[in-house]
Amino acid sequence: MQPDNTPQTIKLIPASQFSIEQLTDIYNRTRVDYMVPMPMNAARLAEYVANYDVKLENSIVAASQDGELLGVIMLGVRHERAWITRLGVVPNTRRGGIGKALMQGLIDEAAKLSIDFCMLEVIKNNTPAHQLFLKFGFHEVGELLVLRRSPLNRQLDPVVADAERLERADALVLVGHDRGTQPWTNQSESLFNANEVSGLRLTLPDGSRGWLVYQRQKFLLTRFAYKTEAGDPAKVTYALLSHLHHQYPRLDTHVENIQVNDPHLPGFQEMGYIESFRRIEMWRGDPPADLNKFVRPR
Amino acid sequence: MIRILVVEDILDNLNLVRKALSKAGYEIFHAPDAETGLSMALDLVPDLILLDLGLPDYDGQTLAGWMREEPSLNDTPIIILTAWPEEAAREVVRSYRCDGYIIKPISRVSEFAAQVKSYLKAP
């Protein structure tokens, strides 16, 4: 007989009552059959929680009455905005209202914090999740690309430019400037919270100029923020990337959530970046007037 | 004995692979994440590496790129295991210079063993 996991019998428990190892385990179990499973270990999840300002006391684990863990959802909080992430339900318990209960629980948590505006991203073609978010009043605001560049691409000489390397403090000063509305993962706070952040700034002979800030992990370059201050964004991006990959020829590169209409995108493509998959960005509620406001972490 | 390193984080998947390949007479080594996978590959220099793309520390693509740059692993076939559509799997193979792919889920054990055998280099 199937266990009774109807919404009336599901217990919603603050995620802060679980260890990071337990949260990692339940998260991984919800993703085991995903086409893009993105499993994590405890260290990665802890980094994720810290980088993206996830509040575990407002995040939720769903459990059955007999204590079996069924699903998870997490809430990021920054100023007057919230982010819904890591929603997942264990495969053999899906279609029983657990996802709906988790979503309602999280929206209630945001409301307790007096936050009406929520953001999220959903992998394109994940129809059940997309439909669930629509039912909760989310609407689509754009399409995002996840890009990869293999370190095995042919190495090219850096474009001739006046280039300078930026240490963390100088890089973060640039990131804090207005870069328009960004998905949660790419907002300035995400870079401020990350380790091993540095940057590049360059000026081309024709006066075009811009900067790129990134995180360098052991095997990977990731978490890009960038801006063209003058000139053609694609040309400036290509030049910046040529210097970056010349500096780190052995590192793989993973760039998340670039808007499909980002004018910098042709520069990435010319440098050998390929599309890995797409996400849909969705919002619920009216964006606060200071959506792009960046509050420097203490 | 032919030695195969399986880099896979999901125990059920590993057990299926182990069952299929042990039955076919191969010696199986297991790494549950990318960093362990790299370390074991460098120590063992196996005859073939089966690499899951979804790993909990660095993903399989990052690991494949790193392995491909290691001179001691130049001759080791790297085969990715993925549930992605074939077109995406082919792109990973091309970009990260792997030697092939096997689409999951593994439904027929004998067919899987034959696929793996086809990627092994002749002695």
Side-chain angles (χ1 to χ4, degrees):
Chain A
M1 197 170 112
Q2 285 286 316
D4 178 14
N5 287 326
T6 55
Q8 294 75 26
T9 66
I10 297 165
K11 289 194 290 186
L12 299 181
I13 306 167
S16 53
Q17 292 187 15
F18 296 84
S19 68
I20 200 76
E21 287 78 14
Q22 288 172 309
L23 292 174
T24 305
D25 181 58
I26 181 67
Y27 163 74
N28 284 338
R29 285 199 289 120
T30 65
R31 303 284 175 127
V32 73
D33 60 342
Y34 276 31
M35 191 176 287
V36 187
M38 296 183 286
M40 290 180 143
N41 58 24
R44 280 272 179 246
L45 184 59
E47 184 188 21
Y48 188 93
V49 166
N51 282 353
Y52 297 136
D53 297 301
V54 171
K55 306 300 177 200
L56 292 180
E57 62 273 26
N58 302 109
S59 302
I60 299 169
V61 172
S64 65
Q65 289 298 326
D66 60 6
E68 184 193 359
L69 303 186
L70 306 171
V72 65
I73 192 167
M74 294 188 179
L75 187 74
V77 177
R78 287 175 179 160
H79 203 52
E80 292 178 5
R81 55 194 192 271
W83 181 55
I84 293 176
T85 186
R86 307 283 93 167
L87 170 60
V89 175
V90 172
N92 62 359
T93 64
R94 288 188 194 138
R95 304 183 71 83
I98 298 165
K100 192 175 164 188
L102 284 165
M103 275 297 287
Q104 187 60 58
L106 208 70
I107 284 170
D108 293 346
E109 285 295 320
K112 278 187 213 164
L113 300 170
S114 304
I115 297 176
D116 299 323
F117 177 68
C118 293
M119 314 170 80
L120 59 78
E121 306 97 41
V122 57
I123 291 178
K124 192 173 180 181
N125 298 325
N126 182 351
T127 307
H130 186 247
Q131 290 297 317
L132 179 67
F133 299 142
L134 289 173
K135 279 182 193 160
F136 273 91
F138 282 83
H139 63 278
E140 294 184 12
V141 291
E143 196 161 321
L144 307 169
L145 299 176
V146 177
L147 304 178
R148 297 294 294 243
R149 182 184 183 275
S150 165
L152 305 176
N153 270 289
R154 189 165 60 90
Q155 293 302 324
L156 302 166
D157 289 333
V159 169
V160 174
D162 180 11
E164 76 174 304
R165 181 181 151 77
L166 303 171
E167 297 303 330
R168 178 184 175 89
D170 293 331
L172 291 180
V173 166
L174 294 173
V175 166
H177 289 180
D178 179 37
R179 290 179 290 121
T181 302
Q182 294 287 332
W184 192 275
T185 55
N186 300 359
Q187 291 173 359
S188 300
E189 291 88 340
S190 301
L191 272 296
F192 270 78
N193 292 336
N195 297 319
E196 300 293 335
V197 169
S198 49
L200 280 169
R201 187 174 202 168
L202 60 70
T203 304
L204 291 163
D206 68 359
S208 304
R209 63 179 193 277
W211 54 263
L212 168 68
V213 174
Y214 55 90
Q215 183 189 37
R216 180 173 56 82
Q217 300 181 359
K218 186 172 177 183
F219 299 111
L220 190 69
L221 298 167
T222 189
R223 298 190 209 288
F224 282 18
Y226 47 82
K227 187 168 184 178
T228 297
E229 296 169 314
D232 173 12
K235 188 174 162 186
V236 171
T237 301
Y238 181 84
L240 285 163
L241 295 173
S242 75
H243 283 261
L244 180 71
H245 295 304
H246 185 74
Q247 189 176 350
Y248 301 110
R250 285 202 67 179
L251 297 187
D252 194 16
T253 314
H254 185 189
V255 184
E256 293 224 51
N257 298 344
I258 296 188
Q259 283 147 351
V260 284
N261 56 358
D262 186 329
H264 298 84
L265 194 54
F268 283 97
Q269 290 161 336
E270 195 180 346
M271 187 45 69
Y273 284 68
I274 55 170
E275 182 180 324
S276 193
F277 59 94
R278 291 185 180 217
R279 294 186 173 116
I280 306 292
E281 184 173 21
M282 304 180 83
W283 290 359
R284 180 180 190 268
D286 295 325
D290 58 355
L291 177 60
N292 299 330
K293 179 177 179 181
F294 166 60
V295 181
R296 182 184 287 262
R298 289 182 183 174
Chain B
M1 199 172 196
I2 288 169
R3 301 184 308 169
I4 295 178
L5 173 62
V6 185
V7 189
E8 166 68 79
D9 63 317
I10 297 173
L11 210 55
D12 286 349
N13 293 346
L14 169 70
N15 288 338
L16 195 58
V17 168
R18 193 192 288 280
K19 183 179 165 192
L21 299 184
S22 299
K23 198 174 171 186
Y26 303 126
E27 188 175 9
I28 306 303
F29 297 84
H30 170 235
D33 57 47
E35 290 222 49
T36 311
L38 179 60
S39 167
M40 286 181 71
L42 293 173
D43 283 348
L44 288 167
V45 189
D47 296 289
L48 184 138
I49 297 167
L50 283 173
L51 184 54
D52 178 32
L53 285 187
L55 296 169
D57 49 353
Y58 293 92
D59 67 23
Q61 286 150 277
T62 298
L63 178 56
W66 203 262
M67 284 175 166
R68 249 320 147 241
E69 295 271 42
E70 289 292 341
S72 64
L73 299 173
N74 269 351
D75 294 331
T76 304
I78 300 174
I79 310 303
I80 62 167
L81 291 170
T82 180
W84 290 10
E86 292 215 30
E87 188 185 343
R90 275 196 291 273
E91 183 57 46
V92 174
V93 167
R94 188 193 66 76
S95 301
Y96 290 84
R97 281 190 231 146
C98 298
D99 297 86
Y101 62 88
I102 296 175
I103 298 292
K104 294 196 289 190
I106 298 162
S107 48
R108 294 169 70 166
V109 164
S110 59
E111 198 174 289
F112 172 68
Q115 281 178 295
V116 170
K117 187 179 179 187
S118 73
Y119 287 119
L120 282 164
K121 294 194 171 166

